[in-house]
């Protein structure tokens, strides 16, 4: 029997796909529509495999596969980037957008083929649809990509295959198939870009902050893989193992990651970072302000744990309590977006590296803080943290940061896009910081009418839409660089569709919603 919430979620994604291609219809649109149709059918095969325990790896069980919404994110981002850069006349990034879209389609198609291949009996109709979609995509790639671009797409696919086999085995129940597609596909693309740029370094070419993001992401992933393999052979909870962890982190950081970054930016990374952070008085004020907010977030964690100790050991933080962190993140990102986006870009990268490193300490029980972190963070667990890793706070940071990192600065005259595109960097703030937060708070406290088949309420969704419209009005008042050019109807439609997606999706909304809102704004 078909799952009604999944059908509604799929319908919303189809509407978003058609909205995007109503504006931009070209040969890639046929590929995107074909991919969406076959992903819709394959999604139910994945759901059946998850219910019967027939999937190759252990996925998160409290959600559906999420294949359709995840499959469309990277292709649509690439298509939107291609169009923006084409209109700006930046040929290099126009081609880059085509590579991104082609890579996303091929990786999503690969995940679909896996599901069809392990389903017994073989689903004939779904196989035919997958074959037709694959033929359309490959035919379009053949007539659109150069030989070097085809090789680049295949390199990303190869990295994705190996990363999937390694990480999904080491981290059971941490992802749904759709979340794995987004996270591992993104890491694969970043790793391939870093390798490509490292082999073709040209002095003075490229923005150092872009290289900083690539090296930081690849560095922390490689660090995690190294210690995961190492601690198979030794107990990670002893003092000797902990000292070895800290020593090897320093060795890998100073002996591998720093020289790698030095090769790319052609200057000392530490001196460059210090000079960058304290370059202007505005940056110093922002850093002091962010330090105060970080201390406030730590204070909430300690206070809630003290409250748990005094009341009951089984006490769990409520939804409203967890949304305190959303408010803090909004208060962090909005001043950065208004006053210094480059500083926010670098600070978000540093914060991501720190979050992942602290998660390693908690996961491996590294002394002296590993056990303490386990105790403190267990209070804020929810049903999405069913695996060995706690990822919701990292997803929150990613959801707020991805629109800033993925903003096509080179294709934006004067640092901003026209129309609704001017709100692209605010996509995370609007979708997660405002929309998701308000929907959860008002839905859990005042909501009575539930959307069919879900726990989300009609009141929460409507309130979230109004809150985001008010937030857009405030952005117009306080950020003089934003000029919407009368694209208010499109903004209202975008916010409404993404809010409806929040009501029906069972995927990590902190990651999915900002990306779809960014696609609509672009």
């Amino acid at each position: 029997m078909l799952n009604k919430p999944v059908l509604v979620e799929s319908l919303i994604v189809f509407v978003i796909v058609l909205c995007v291609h109503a504006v931009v219809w070209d040969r890639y649109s046929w590929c995107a529509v074909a991919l969406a149709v076959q992903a819709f059918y394959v999604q139910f095969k994945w759901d059946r495999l998850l219910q019967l325990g027939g999937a190759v790896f252990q996925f998160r069980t409290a959600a559906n596969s999420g294949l359709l919404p995840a499959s469309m994110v990277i292709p649509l981002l690439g298509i939107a980037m291609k169009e923006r850069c084409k209109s700006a006349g930046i040929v290099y990034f126009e081609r880059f957008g085509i590579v991104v879209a082609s890579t996303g389609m091929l990786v999503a198609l690969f995940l679909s083929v896996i599901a069809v291949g392990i389903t017994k009996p073989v689903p004939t109709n779904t196989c035919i649809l997958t074959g037709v979609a694959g033929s359309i995509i490959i035919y379009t790639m053949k007539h659109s990509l150069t030989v070097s671009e085809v090789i680049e797409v295949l390199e990303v696919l190869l990295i994705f295959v190996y990363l999937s086999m390694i990480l999904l085995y080491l981290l059971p129940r941490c992802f749904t198939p759709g979340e794995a597609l987004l996270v591992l596909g993104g890491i694969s693309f970043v790793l391939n870009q870093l390798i490509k740029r490292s082999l073709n370094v040209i002095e003075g070419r490229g923005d150092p902050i872009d290289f900083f993001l690539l090296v930081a992401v690849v560095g922390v992933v490689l660090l995690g893989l190294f210690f995961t393999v190492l601690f198979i052979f030794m107990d990670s909870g002893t003092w000797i193992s902990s000292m070895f962890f800290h020593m090897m982190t320093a060795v890998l950081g100073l002996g591998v990651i720093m020289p790698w970054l030095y090769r790319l930016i052609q200057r000392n990374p530490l001196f460059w970072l210090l000079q960058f952070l304290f370059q202007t008085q505005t940056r110093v004020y922002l850093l002091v302000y962010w330090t105060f907010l970080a201390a406030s977030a730590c204070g909430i964690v300690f206070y809630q744990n003290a409250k748990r100790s005094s009341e009951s050991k089984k006490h769990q933080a409520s939804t409203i309590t967890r949304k305190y962190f959303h408010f803090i993140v909004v208060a962090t990102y909005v001043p950065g977006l208004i006053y210094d986006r480059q500083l926010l870009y670098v600070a978000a990268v540093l914060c991501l590296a720190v979050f992942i490193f602290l998660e390693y300490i908690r996961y491996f029980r590294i002394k002296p803080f590993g056990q303490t972190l386990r105790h403190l963070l267990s209070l804020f667990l929810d049903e999405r943290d069913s695996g060995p890793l706690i990822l919701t706070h990292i997803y929150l940071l990613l959801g707020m940061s991805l629109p800033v990192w993925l903003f096509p600065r080179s294709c934006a005259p004067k640092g901003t896009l026209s129309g609704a595109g001017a709100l692209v960097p605010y996509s995370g703030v609007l979708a997660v910081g405002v929309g998701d937060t308000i929907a959860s708070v008002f839905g859990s406290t005042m909501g009575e009418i539930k959307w069919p088949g879900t726990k989300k309420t009609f009141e929460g969704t409507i309130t979230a839409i109004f809150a985001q419209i008010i937030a857009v009005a405030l952005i117009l008042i306080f950020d003089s660089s934003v000029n919407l050019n009368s694209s208010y109807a499109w903004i209202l439609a975008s916010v409404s569709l993404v809010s409806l997606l929040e009501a029906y999706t069972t995927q990590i909304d902190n990651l999915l919603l900002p990306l779809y809102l960014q696609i609509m704004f672009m």
Side-chain angles (χ1 to χ4, degrees), residues 35-308:
L35 181 68
V37 172
Q38 73 85 31
F40 172 75
Y41 279 91
V42 175
Q43 179 171 255
F44 292 101
K45 306 305 175 187
W46 264 116
D47 290 343
R48 186 166 177 270
L49 287 170
L50 295 178
Q51 291 167 4
L52 299 176
V56 178
F57 300 104
Q58 295 183 56
F59 291 99
R60 191 160 63 87
T61 56
N64 66 306
S65 65
L67 187 65
L68 173 58
S71 293
M72 301 314 300
V73 168
I74 300 177
L76 291 180
L77 270 175
I79 290 169
M81 183 184 298
K82 173 185 74 73
E83 287 302 314
R84 280 292 183 177
C85 295
K86 182 179 179 180
S87 62
I90 312 296
V91 177
Y92 176 81
F93 285 101
E94 179 189 347
R95 300 302 306 176
F96 183 74
I98 294 172
V99 171
V100 171
S102 301
T103 303
M105 291 177 189
L106 206 60
V107 169
L109 193 65
F110 171 79
L111 206 60
S112 298
V113 170
I114 292 293
V116 171
I118 61 178
T119 301
K120 303 298 181 185
V122 176
T124 306
N125 293 337
T126 308
C127 284
I128 294 172
L129 273 174
T130 304
V132 170
S135 300
I136 294 172
I137 291 169
I138 293 171
Y139 178 82
T140 304
M141 287 175 58
K142 178 186 174 184
H143 290 82
S144 304
L145 302 179
T146 63
V147 174
S148 61
E149 289 169 343
V150 170
I151 293 172
E152 185 175 351
V153 171
L154 294 177
E155 286 170 351
V156 177
L157 179 61
L158 187 63
I159 295 170
F160 175 79
V161 171
Y162 280 106
L163 267 183
S164 300
M165 289 192 296
I166 295 169
L167 293 181
L168 293 178
Y169 173 76
L170 294 174
L171 304 174
R173 303 180 307 281
C174 284
F175 309 102
T176 63
E179 292 160 6
L181 171 62
L182 275 180
V183 175
L184 301 183
I187 294 173
S188 303
F189 200 86
V190 166
L191 178 56
N192 186 67
Q193 283 297 305
L194 181 58
I195 294 170
K196 177 184 173 183
R197 297 190 187 193
S198 299
L199 295 174
N200 298 285
V201 173
I202 300 175
E203 188 172 354
R205 182 174 179 179
D207 194 332
I209 66 174
D210 291 330
F211 293 132
F212 188 65
L213 172 64
L214 296 176
V215 173
V217 171
V218 173
V220 293
V221 171
L222 293 179
L223 202 65
L225 290 174
F226 173 80
F227 286 117
T228 300
V229 173
L230 178 68
F231 289 135
I232 292 175
F233 304 101
M234 58 192 298
D235 183 8
S236 62
T238 64
W239 273 107
I240 294 176
S241 297
S242 299
M243 289 175 63
F244 189 73
F245 174 88
H246 295 300
M247 182 181 70
M248 287 306 299
T249 300
V251 169
L252 291 172
L254 297 175
V256 178
I257 296 173
M258 287 298 175
W260 200 348
L261 189 55
Y262 178 84
R263 170 175 167 77
L264 291 168
I265 68 175
Q266 300 295 315
R267 67 189 83 170
N268 187 299
L270 290 177
F271 290 157
W272 169 80
L273 183 60
L274 289 173
Q275 182 184 10
F276 179 86
L277 292 177
F278 301 102
Q279 195 170 19
T280 64
Q281 196 171 23
T282 303
R283 290 185 175 180
V284 175
Y285 290 150
L286 282 172
L287 290 172
V288 171
Y289 171 65
W290 289 341
T291 303
F292 168 74
L293 290 178
S296 302
C298 293
I300 292 173
V301 172
F302 288 121
Y303 172 74
Q304 290 296 326
N305 274 273
K307 189 177 177 182
R308 171 173 65 172

Side-chain angles (χ1 to χ4, degrees), residues 14-34:
F14 272 117
V15 170
I16 292 174
V17 171
L18 293 176
C19 283
V20 170
H21 292 293
V23 179
V24 182
W25 187 270
D26 55 19
R27 67 175 74 176
Y28 307 102
S29 303
W30 292 108
C31 296
V33 172

Side-chain angles (χ1 to χ4, degrees), residues 304-318 322 375-382:
Q304 290 296 326
N305 274 273
K307 189 177 177 182
R308 171 173 65 172
S309 301
S310 62
E311 291 180 0
S312 168
K313 289 185 178 180
K314 294 184 179 180
H315 173 73
Q316 285 294 114
S318 65
R322 286 198 290 269
H375 174 74
L376 291 174
L377 295 180
S378 64
L379 175 67
F380 300 95
L381 295 177
D382 61 15

